[in-house]
Amino acid sequence: MSNLKTLKAGIAVAFVALVAYMIVDPMLSREVFTTEPKRLFPVLALLGIATSALCVWMLRRAGSPTAEAIMVGIMLGLTVGAAGYPTALHLNRLLDGAGLKSYEYRVVRAEPVVFEPVESGLPKIDYFKRTAYWERLGPDARISIQLRRGGFGMWQFNIADIVTDIRRFQRGEKPQLGIPASTADSPKP
C-alpha cells in the first residue's frame, strides 16, 4: 500500500508541475509558431495515450482500483499531451542552428491581422487581433519580423518587439514599429 501512496504522490506532483508549466510558459515565452503545427498534433496525441496507458498499468500493478487508475491515467495523459505543445516549441528553437533572422513583411489589416512575406518561401502569419495599433498603419505597411525555421522544420517567430510596441502604443507613446508602404518603397537618399 505504501508503494501505491508513493506512486499517487509522484503522479500528483507531475500533474501539478505540468499544469503550472502550461500556465506560466506562455507568459514567459516570446516565440510562437507562425501557424498551427498540424503534424505535431498526432505526435502529442500518441504521447498522451502512451502516458495514460503507462500510468494505468503502473497504478493497477500497485493495487489501485480500476476506475481510479483509468481516470488518473486519462488526466495525466491529457496533461502530458497538452504540455508537449510548448515543449515542442522550445525544442524546435533549441535545435535550430541558424537562429532568428529578420524578414520584411507586409501588414494586411484583416481580422486577424495578417503578415504576408515580402520574399517568397516564408510563411504567412496571422497571429494578432486587429486593434487600433494596426489601424494606424496605412495600406501595404511593412514590419520587420524575427523568424526562425527550427530544428523540427517548423516556423516560429519572436513576438517580443511587437508586443512591447503595442504596449507602448496603449500607454499613449509613439510606436516604433510599422513602416507605411510609401516610406518603405521610397528610395533612400
Side-chain angles (χ1 to χ4, degrees):
M1 202 53 127
S2 176
N3 192 22
L4 179 58
K5 285 183 181 180
T6 303
L7 180 59
K8 285 181 179 180
I11 291 170
V13 167
F15 178 80
V16 169
L18 287 170
V19 168
Y21 167 66
M22 290 186 299
I23 292 169
V24 172
D25 184 71
M27 291 186 251
L28 302 177
S29 187
R30 292 293 158 226
E31 288 190 32
V32 296
F33 289 118
T34 57
T35 58
E36 287 298 325
K38 291 179 175 58
R39 64 185 174 143
L40 178 63
F41 296 143
V43 174
L44 297 179
L46 286 173
L47 180 64
I49 290 167
T51 300
S52 288
L54 179 62
C55 182
V56 169
W57 178 77
M58 289 173 63
L59 284 169
R60 287 295 299 136
R61 192 161 179 239
S64 179
T66 302
E68 180 181 283
I70 291 171
M71 183 56 69
V72 170
I74 289 171
M75 287 175 54
L76 186 62
L78 288 170
T79 306
V80 166
Y85 186 89
T87 302
L89 185 67
H90 293 298
L91 288 173
N92 190 54
R93 176 179 47 84
L94 290 171
L95 296 174
D96 171 34
L100 287 168
K101 294 179 183 168
S102 289
Y103 298 94
E104 190 173 334
Y105 274 75
R106 274 187 286 291
V107 179
V108 178
R109 292 180 304 172
E111 183 57 52
V113 172
V114 176
F115 301 141
E116 290 183 345
V118 172
E119 66 181 77
S120 63
L122 297 173
K124 188 175 174 179
I125 303 169
D126 60 350
Y127 182 79
F128 292 97
K129 182 179 175 184
R130 186 173 177 172
T131 62
Y133 175 81
W134 301 108
E135 292 298 325
R136 72 186 169 80
L137 299 173
D140 200 36
R142 307 290 172 91
I143 192 167
S144 180
I145 302 285
Q146 291 184 323
L147 193 66
R148 80 169 77 237
R149 186 169 196 154
F152 295 146
M154 295 179 281
W155 289 97
Q156 60 192 71
F157 73 108
N158 188 317
I159 62 171
D161 291 342
I162 298 171
V163 170
T164 299
D165 207 49
I166 290 171
R167 289 185 180 143
R168 183 180 296 120
F169 177 78
Q170 290 169 338
R171 289 190 305 263
E173 299 171 20
K174 184 179 179 186
Q176 306 296 310
L177 301 177
I179 306 165
S182 58
T183 306
D185 294 332
S186 61
K188 305 229 188 297

